[in-house]
mmCIF file of all heavy atoms in Angstrom:
data_model
loop_
_atom_site.group_PDB
_atom_site.id
_atom_site.type_symbol
_atom_site.label_atom_id
_atom_site.label_comp_id
_atom_site.label_asym_id
_atom_site.label_seq_id
_atom_site.Cartn_x
_atom_site.Cartn_y
_atom_site.Cartn_z
ATOM 1 N N ILE R 1387 6.819 27.999 -52.702
ATOM 2 C CA ILE R 1387 5.723 27.073 -52.457
ATOM 3 C C ILE R 1387 6.275 25.655 -52.348
ATOM 4 O O ILE R 1387 5.832 24.866 -51.523
ATOM 5 C CB ILE R 1387 4.666 27.187 -53.565
ATOM 6 C CG1 ILE R 1387 3.996 28.558 -53.454
ATOM 7 C CG2 ILE R 1387 3.638 26.071 -53.438
ATOM 8 C CD1 ILE R 1387 2.941 28.793 -54.554
ATOM 9 N N SER R 1388 7.188 25.293 -53.232
ATOM 10 C CA SER R 1388 7.717 23.932 -53.197
ATOM 11 C C SER R 1388 8.464 23.628 -51.941
ATOM 12 O O SER R 1388 8.537 22.473 -51.501
ATOM 13 C CB SER R 1388 8.642 23.718 -54.406
ATOM 14 O OG SER R 1388 9.750 24.618 -54.314
ATOM 15 N N LYS R 1389 9.034 24.618 -51.260
ATOM 16 C CA LYS R 1389 9.707 24.429 -49.977
ATOM 17 C C LYS R 1389 8.751 24.326 -48.794
ATOM 18 O O LYS R 1389 8.985 23.616 -47.848
ATOM 19 C CB LYS R 1389 10.735 25.549 -49.739
ATOM 20 C CG LYS R 1389 11.872 25.529 -50.745
ATOM 21 C CD LYS R 1389 12.795 26.697 -50.419
ATOM 22 C CE LYS R 1389 13.972 26.724 -51.420
ATOM 23 N NZ LYS R 1389 14.905 27.859 -51.123
ATOM 24 N N GLU R 1390 7.632 25.048 -48.825
ATOM 25 C CA GLU R 1390 6.734 25.119 -47.690
ATOM 26 C C GLU R 1390 5.695 24.035 -47.702
ATOM 27 O O GLU R 1390 5.217 23.642 -46.627
ATOM 28 C CB GLU R 1390 6.017 26.481 -47.652
ATOM 29 C CG GLU R 1390 6.997 27.628 -47.384
ATOM 30 C CD GLU R 1390 6.244 28.955 -47.384
ATOM 31 O OE1 GLU R 1390 4.996 28.939 -47.678
ATOM 32 O OE2 GLU R 1390 6.867 29.978 -47.078
ATOM 33 N N ILE R 1391 5.343 23.483 -48.859
ATOM 34 C CA ILE R 1391 4.324 22.435 -48.893
ATOM 35 C C ILE R 1391 4.674 21.190 -48.121
ATOM 36 O O ILE R 1391 3.855 20.679 -47.343
ATOM 37 C CB ILE R 1391 3.914 22.147 -50.356
ATOM 38 C CG1 ILE R 1391 3.109 23.298 -50.943
ATOM 39 C CG2 ILE R 1391 3.146 20.828 -50.464
ATOM 40 C CD1 ILE R 1391 2.692 23.114 -52.408
ATOM 41 N N PRO R 1392 5.891 20.664 -48.254
ATOM 42 C CA PRO R 1392 6.191 19.423 -47.510
ATOM 43 C C PRO R 1392 6.090 19.601 -45.988
ATOM 44 O O PRO R 1392 5.653 18.706 -45.292
ATOM 45 C CB PRO R 1392 7.624 19.078 -47.954
ATOM 46 C CG PRO R 1392 7.791 19.766 -49.272
ATOM 47 C CD PRO R 1392 7.004 21.001 -49.195
ATOM 48 N N SER R 1393 6.538 20.739 -45.491
ATOM 49 C CA SER R 1393 6.488 20.964 -44.046
ATOM 50 C C SER R 1393 5.067 21.137 -43.558
ATOM 51 O O SER R 1393 4.748 20.896 -42.399
ATOM 52 C CB SER R 1393 7.325 22.173 -43.656
ATOM 53 O OG SER R 1393 6.834 23.346 -44.312
ATOM 54 N N ALA R 1394 4.160 21.589 -44.394
ATOM 55 C CA ALA R 1394 2.778 21.803 -43.973
ATOM 56 C C ALA R 1394 1.975 20.540 -44.024
ATOM 57 O O ALA R 1394 0.933 20.461 -43.344
ATOM 58 C CB ALA R 1394 2.136 22.853 -44.883
ATOM 59 N N LEU R 1395 2.414 19.502 -44.838
ATOM 60 C CA LEU R 1395 1.656 18.277 -44.918
ATOM 61 C C LEU R 1395 1.870 17.462 -43.648
ATOM 62 O O LEU R 1395 2.921 17.507 -43.036
ATOM 63 C CB LEU R 1395 2.083 17.462 -46.129
ATOM 64 C CG LEU R 1395 1.768 18.101 -47.510
ATOM 65 C CD1 LEU R 1395 2.360 17.255 -48.612
ATOM 66 C CD2 LEU R 1395 0.270 18.219 -47.673
ATOM 67 N N PRO R 1396 0.853 16.646 -43.231
ATOM 68 C CA PRO R 1396 1.016 15.772 -42.069
ATOM 69 C C PRO R 1396 2.027 14.683 -42.339
ATOM 70 O O PRO R 1396 2.204 14.265 -43.455
ATOM 71 C CB PRO R 1396 -0.389 15.201 -41.857
ATOM 72 C CG PRO R 1396 -1.017 15.296 -43.171
ATOM 73 C CD PRO R 1396 -0.481 16.539 -43.867
ATOM 74 N N LYS R 1397 2.720 14.280 -41.205
ATOM 75 C CA LYS R 1397 3.710 13.229 -41.353
ATOM 76 C C LYS R 1397 3.027 11.900 -41.668
ATOM 77 O O LYS R 1397 2.060 11.532 -41.050
ATOM 78 C CB LYS R 1397 4.499 13.083 -40.059
ATOM 79 C CG LYS R 1397 5.288 14.347 -39.726
ATOM 80 C CD LYS R 1397 6.038 14.179 -38.427
ATOM 81 C CE LYS R 1397 6.877 15.442 -38.128
ATOM 82 N NZ LYS R 1397 7.637 15.278 -36.867
ATOM 83 N N THR R 1398 3.613 11.145 -42.568
ATOM 84 C CA THR R 1398 3.040 9.854 -43.016
ATOM 85 C C THR R 1398 4.041 8.725 -42.843
ATOM 86 O O THR R 1398 4.025 7.768 -43.600
ATOM 87 C CB THR R 1398 2.574 9.969 -44.478
ATOM 88 O OG1 THR R 1398 3.654 10.316 -45.263
ATOM 89 C CG2 THR R 1398 1.473 10.974 -44.640
ATOM 90 N N GLU R 1399 4.968 8.909 -41.864
ATOM 91 C CA GLU R 1399 5.945 7.867 -41.689
ATOM 92 C C GLU R 1399 5.285 6.555 -41.223
ATOM 93 O O GLU R 1399 5.685 5.470 -41.605
ATOM 94 C CB GLU R 1399 7.016 8.280 -40.634
ATOM 95 C CG GLU R 1399 7.797 9.502 -41.126
ATOM 96 C CD GLU R 1399 8.763 9.974 -40.104
ATOM 97 O OE1 GLU R 1399 8.789 9.354 -39.005
ATOM 98 O OE2 GLU R 1399 9.531 10.893 -40.372
ATOM 99 N N THR R 1400 4.289 6.680 -40.304
ATOM 100 C CA THR R 1400 3.576 5.497 -39.839
ATOM 101 C C THR R 1400 2.109 5.654 -40.161
ATOM 102 O O THR R 1400 1.424 6.471 -39.578
ATOM 103 C CB THR R 1400 3.707 5.310 -38.317
ATOM 104 O OG1 THR R 1400 5.125 5.272 -38.018
ATOM 105 C CG2 THR R 1400 3.072 4.061 -37.809
ATOM 106 N N THR R 1401 1.656 4.924 -41.136
ATOM 107 C CA THR R 1401 0.242 5.056 -41.564
ATOM 108 C C THR R 1401 -0.588 4.044 -40.812
ATOM 109 O O THR R 1401 -0.088 3.132 -40.134
ATOM 110 C CB THR R 1401 0.148 4.820 -43.054
ATOM 111 O OG1 THR R 1401 0.602 3.514 -43.338
ATOM 112 C CG2 THR R 1401 0.992 5.843 -43.848
ATOM 113 N N THR R 1402 -1.906 4.197 -40.980
ATOM 114 C CA THR R 1402 -2.820 3.328 -40.294
ATOM 115 C C THR R 1402 -2.740 1.919 -40.848
ATOM 116 O O THR R 1402 -2.863 0.907 -40.135
ATOM 117 C CB THR R 1402 -4.250 3.857 -40.479
ATOM 118 O OG1 THR R 1402 -4.288 5.198 -39.990
ATOM 119 C CG2 THR R 1402 -5.250 3.008 -39.692
ATOM 120 N N SER R 1403 -2.416 1.805 -42.156
ATOM 121 C CA SER R 1403 -2.322 0.467 -42.762
ATOM 122 C C SER R 1403 -1.129 -0.298 -42.215
ATOM 123 O O SER R 1403 -1.130 -1.535 -42.252
ATOM 124 C CB SER R 1403 -2.232 0.594 -44.275
ATOM 125 O OG SER R 1403 -1.088 1.336 -44.635
ATOM 126 N N GLU R 1404 -0.074 0.417 -41.757
ATOM 127 C CA GLU R 1404 1.073 -0.280 -41.278
ATOM 128 C C GLU R 1404 0.854 -0.867 -39.883
ATOM 129 O O GLU R 1404 1.624 -1.736 -39.416
ATOM 130 C CB GLU R 1404 2.303 0.643 -41.203
ATOM 131 C CG GLU R 1404 2.738 1.107 -42.591
ATOM 132 C CD GLU R 1404 3.865 2.107 -42.532
ATOM 133 O OE1 GLU R 1404 4.284 2.439 -41.382
ATOM 134 O OE2 GLU R 1404 4.360 2.516 -43.553
ATOM 135 N N LEU R 1405 -0.122 -0.324 -39.102
ATOM 136 C CA LEU R 1405 -0.432 -0.839 -37.775
ATOM 137 C C LEU R 1405 -1.412 -1.989 -37.977
ATOM 138 O O LEU R 1405 -2.606 -1.846 -38.129
ATOM 139 C CB LEU R 1405 -1.065 0.230 -36.918
ATOM 140 C CG LEU R 1405 -1.310 -0.151 -35.456
ATOM 141 C CD1 LEU R 1405 -0.033 -0.460 -34.772
ATOM 142 C CD2 LEU R 1405 -2.022 1.004 -34.727
ATOM 143 N N MET R 1406 -0.899 -3.218 -38.024
ATOM 144 C CA MET R 1406 -1.676 -4.421 -38.330
ATOM 145 C C MET R 1406 -2.562 -4.826 -37.151
ATOM 146 O O MET R 1406 -2.235 -4.512 -35.997
ATOM 147 C CB MET R 1406 -0.733 -5.573 -38.675
ATOM 148 C CG MET R 1406 0.201 -5.265 -39.834
ATOM 149 S SD MET R 1406 -0.701 -4.857 -41.356
ATOM 150 C CE MET R 1406 -1.492 -6.448 -41.656
ATOM 151 N N PRO R 1407 -3.651 -5.486 -37.473
ATOM 152 C CA PRO R 1407 -4.562 -5.874 -36.344
ATOM 153 C C PRO R 1407 -3.865 -6.780 -35.340
ATOM 154 O O PRO R 1407 -4.160 -6.689 -34.166
ATOM 155 C CB PRO R 1407 -5.656 -6.592 -37.107
ATOM 156 C CG PRO R 1407 -5.623 -6.055 -38.476
ATOM 157 C CD PRO R 1407 -4.199 -5.755 -38.781
ATOM 158 N N HIS R 1408 -2.915 -7.650 -35.781
ATOM 159 C CA HIS R 1408 -2.260 -8.518 -34.767
ATOM 160 C C HIS R 1408 -1.415 -7.739 -33.814
ATOM 161 O O HIS R 1408 -1.214 -8.121 -32.656
ATOM 162 C CB HIS R 1408 -1.432 -9.613 -35.493
ATOM 163 C CG HIS R 1408 -0.262 -9.062 -36.260
ATOM 164 N ND1 HIS R 1408 -0.386 -8.603 -37.537
ATOM 165 C CD2 HIS R 1408 1.043 -8.891 -35.879
ATOM 166 C CE1 HIS R 1408 0.824 -8.149 -37.947
ATOM 167 N NE2 HIS R 1408 1.684 -8.301 -36.934
ATOM 168 N N ASP R 1409 -0.818 -6.599 -34.237
ATOM 169 C CA ASP R 1409 -0.043 -5.753 -33.325
ATOM 170 C C ASP R 1409 -0.976 -5.146 -32.272
ATOM 171 O O ASP R 1409 -0.621 -5.074 -31.071
ATOM 172 C CB ASP R 1409 0.674 -4.633 -34.083
ATOM 173 C CG ASP R 1409 1.716 -5.201 -35.047
ATOM 174 O OD1 ASP R 1409 2.193 -6.326 -34.776
ATOM 175 O OD2 ASP R 1409 1.986 -4.541 -36.054
ATOM 176 N N LEU R 1410 -2.110 -4.703 -32.724
ATOM 177 C CA LEU R 1410 -3.057 -4.131 -31.755
ATOM 178 C C LEU R 1410 -3.483 -5.177 -30.742
ATOM 179 O O LEU R 1410 -3.591 -4.921 -29.524
ATOM 180 C CB LEU R 1410 -4.254 -3.601 -32.495
ATOM 181 C CG LEU R 1410 -5.408 -3.012 -31.653
ATOM 182 C CD1 LEU R 1410 -4.914 -1.828 -30.857
ATOM 183 C CD2 LEU R 1410 -6.572 -2.572 -32.567
ATOM 184 N N LEU R 1411 -3.759 -6.407 -31.206
ATOM 185 C CA LEU R 1411 -4.157 -7.469 -30.299
ATOM 186 C C LEU R 1411 -3.047 -7.834 -29.326
ATOM 187 O O LEU R 1411 -3.280 -8.165 -28.154
ATOM 188 C CB LEU R 1411 -4.581 -8.699 -31.125
ATOM 189 C CG LEU R 1411 -5.882 -8.529 -31.936
ATOM 190 C CD1 LEU R 1411 -6.100 -9.797 -32.758
ATOM 191 C CD2 LEU R 1411 -7.048 -8.285 -31.046
ATOM 192 N N ALA R 1412 -1.801 -7.736 -29.752
ATOM 193 C CA ALA R 1412 -0.685 -8.067 -28.817
ATOM 194 C C ALA R 1412 -0.600 -7.072 -27.700
ATOM 195 O O ALA R 1412 -0.413 -7.428 -26.561
ATOM 196 C CB ALA R 1412 0.652 -8.086 -29.630
ATOM 197 N N ASP R 1413 -0.750 -5.764 -28.035
ATOM 198 C CA ASP R 1413 -0.730 -4.734 -26.961
ATOM 199 C C ASP R 1413 -1.884 -4.949 -26.009
ATOM 200 O O ASP R 1413 -1.753 -4.789 -24.795
ATOM 201 C CB ASP R 1413 -0.765 -3.363 -27.580
ATOM 202 C CG ASP R 1413 0.526 -3.041 -28.350
ATOM 203 O OD1 ASP R 1413 1.561 -3.689 -28.023
ATOM 204 O OD2 ASP R 1413 0.500 -2.190 -29.243
ATOM 205 N N VAL R 1414 -3.047 -5.264 -26.568
ATOM 206 C CA VAL R 1414 -4.220 -5.489 -25.742
ATOM 207 C C VAL R 1414 -3.980 -6.640 -24.782
ATOM 208 O O VAL R 1414 -4.362 -6.629 -23.600
ATOM 209 C CB VAL R 1414 -5.489 -5.704 -26.577
ATOM 210 C CG1 VAL R 1414 -6.662 -6.132 -25.705
ATOM 211 C CG2 VAL R 1414 -5.822 -4.399 -27.310
#
Side-chain angles (χ1 to χ4, degrees):
I1387 293 178
S1388 62
K1389 293 179 181 180
E1390 293 180 355
I1391 286 179
S1393 61
L1395 292 176
K1397 297 180 179 180
T1398 58
E1399 296 178 358
T1400 303
T1401 60
T1402 305
S1403 59
E1404 295 176 359
L1405 187 60
M1406 301 302 292
H1408 65 274
D1409 296 334
L1410 177 61
L1411 291 176
D1413 292 335
V1414 171

